[in-house]
Amino acid sequence: AVDAVELVREVGALVAPEAARRQVAVSVDAGAAALPLEADRDLLKQALLNVVVNGMEAMKNGGRLRLEVKRAGGECVIGVSDEGAGIPPEIREKIFNLYFTTKGKGSGIGLAMTFRVVQLHNGTIDFQSEPGNGTTFWLRLPAAAAGAVES
């Protein structure tokens, strides 16, 4: 069992130095209570990190990156919102494809890997993007029973 709140806070702290260098303010909106998931901690951390790094890179002139964790029914919902340029409508259906990238030095593996990790955890990932106003990704994963988190 993995505490989603702890994991999101850890990812936020991990990217904080790079975010500061890019003039990106990282905020984490999570309740104090643990939100347990049955998950491979390392895989889920890498999947979330891929989305967070993409969000930071989308904000060429700095901005705010918001990480959110909440329970919605039987799901744990992790949101990652940036204030970047947004994802153009013509490429939205391709962003989870392996090797698809819009970055000069990108591999096109990050979001494809994130998509697969979320699938392996019986979850879904989707996003909403508004050109010029940023993008929000939602990772929705089945929540475990309360009290299931181990230290």
Side-chain angles (χ1 to χ4, degrees):
V2 174
D3 178 6
V5 171
E6 179 185 303
L7 184 69
V8 169
R9 286 193 173 126
E10 184 180 324
V11 168
L14 185 64
V15 301
E18 178 65 14
R21 192 180 72 70
R22 293 175 174 267
Q23 285 85 45
V24 172
V26 178
S27 67
V28 177
D29 181 9
L35 212 167
L37 302 170
E38 290 294 328
D40 180 305
R41 190 178 206 294
D42 293 336
L43 276 179
L44 199 54
K45 182 177 175 181
Q46 184 61 57
L48 181 57
L49 195 56
N50 290 342
V51 177
V52 168
V53 168
N54 282 357
M56 286 192 322
E57 291 176 349
M59 295 183 280
K60 304 288 184 219
N61 300 314
R64 183 169 160 227
L65 185 77
R66 182 170 175 257
L67 307 178
E68 174 186 8
V69 188
K70 63 184 177 184
R71 181 183 284 271
E75 290 183 319
C76 166
V77 180
I78 301 172
V80 179
S81 301
D82 67 57
E83 297 175 337
I87 301 169
E90 62 273 13
I91 67 166
R92 290 182 185 172
E93 65 186 38
K94 300 176 191 173
I95 67 165
F96 295 114
N97 292 354
L98 189 58
Y99 307 125
F100 177 79
T101 184
T102 59
K103 301 176 195 173
K105 295 182 180 178
S107 66
I109 294 174
L111 284 179
M113 181 264 201
T114 294
F115 184 85
R116 186 66 183 130
V117 167
V118 170
Q119 271 189 331
L120 289 169
H121 287 86
N122 298 313
T124 61
I125 182 170
D126 60 343
F127 66 94
Q128 181 175 351
S129 188
E130 193 175 320
N133 288 320
T135 302
T136 300
F137 279 86
W138 290 282
L139 287 74
R140 300 173 196 278
L141 302 158
V149 175
E150 298 173 16
S151 308

